């Protein structure tokens, strides 16, 4: 399965599937951890918060990284242009959110990415 095919499973979705309240699911996974590949993860990572209807933060970060990887080195996309690109595809994000995700991914701003 490709990253772009993944859709987040929220607490509400799990609760509906199990015929329980979301708060019940939340309490059940609170302070619970799993060990995988010698690392310990909170069960909460299995239920990411949805940023938009069908996209998680991880998916938006993946798409952002992909857009920046494909941009022209002489004409990098500004945060506002990235906002407009996402908007063209039905995802409403603010420039501030784009900047936050870009910084989290250690991607410099468009001025710093520009190659003369």
């Amino acid at each position: 399965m490709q990253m772009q095919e993944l859709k987040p499973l929220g607490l509400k979705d799990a609760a509906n599937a199990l015929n329980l309240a979301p708060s019940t699911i939340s309490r059940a996974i609170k302070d619970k951890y799993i060990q995988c590949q010698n690392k310990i993860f909170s069960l909460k990572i299995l239920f990411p918060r949805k940023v938009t209807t069908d996209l998680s933060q991880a998916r938006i970060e993946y798409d952002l990284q992909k857009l920046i990887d494909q941009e022209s080195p002489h004409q990098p996309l500004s945060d506002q242009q990235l906002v407009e690109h996402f908007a063209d595809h039905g995802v409403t994000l603010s420039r501030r959110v784009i900047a936050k995700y870009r910084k989290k991914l250690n991607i410099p701003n468009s001025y710093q990415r520009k190659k003369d």
Side-chain angles (χ1 to χ4, degrees):
M1 180 178 283
Q2 298 282 334
M3 178 68 164
Q4 61 265 25
E5 296 173 8
L6 294 176
K7 292 195 171 140
L9 173 68
L11 286 175
K12 288 181 183 178
D13 300 329
N16 288 337
L18 297 170
N19 217 11
L20 297 169
S23 61
T24 303
I25 303 296
S26 180
R27 285 192 309 271
I29 66 171
K30 184 180 180 194
D31 300 325
K32 304 286 188 316
Y33 301 89
I34 56 174
Q35 184 174 355
C36 180
Q37 298 177 350
N38 296 324
K39 294 181 184 177
I40 297 175
F41 301 98
S42 170
L43 281 180
K44 288 182 180 182
I45 67 166
L46 299 176
F47 300 97
R49 289 186 358 209
K50 292 182 181 178
V51 175
T52 63
T53 308
D54 284 332
L55 297 178
S56 67
Q57 178 179 338
R59 171 62 194 274
I60 290 174
E61 289 173 1
Y62 172 82
D63 290 346
L64 178 62
Q65 182 71 56
K66 193 173 164 187
L67 280 171
I68 290 174
D69 289 345
Q70 295 173 350
E71 72 186 3
S72 165
H74 302 293
Q75 285 287 319
L77 298 169
S78 68
D79 290 348
Q80 185 59 43
Q81 289 170 317
L82 292 166
V83 165
E84 292 165 5
H85 178 81
F86 277 102
D88 291 343
H89 292 86
V91 180
T92 305
L93 299 172
S94 68
R95 188 191 56 74
R96 186 172 157 181
V97 168
I98 292 290
K100 179 177 111 176
Y101 291 163
R102 184 178 45 72
K103 287 176 184 174
K104 182 180 176 190
L105 296 168
N106 294 319
I107 299 170
N109 64 33
S110 60
Y111 181 76
Q112 294 168 329
R113 292 192 317 266
K114 187 173 184 175
K115 296 180 179 141
D116 294 326

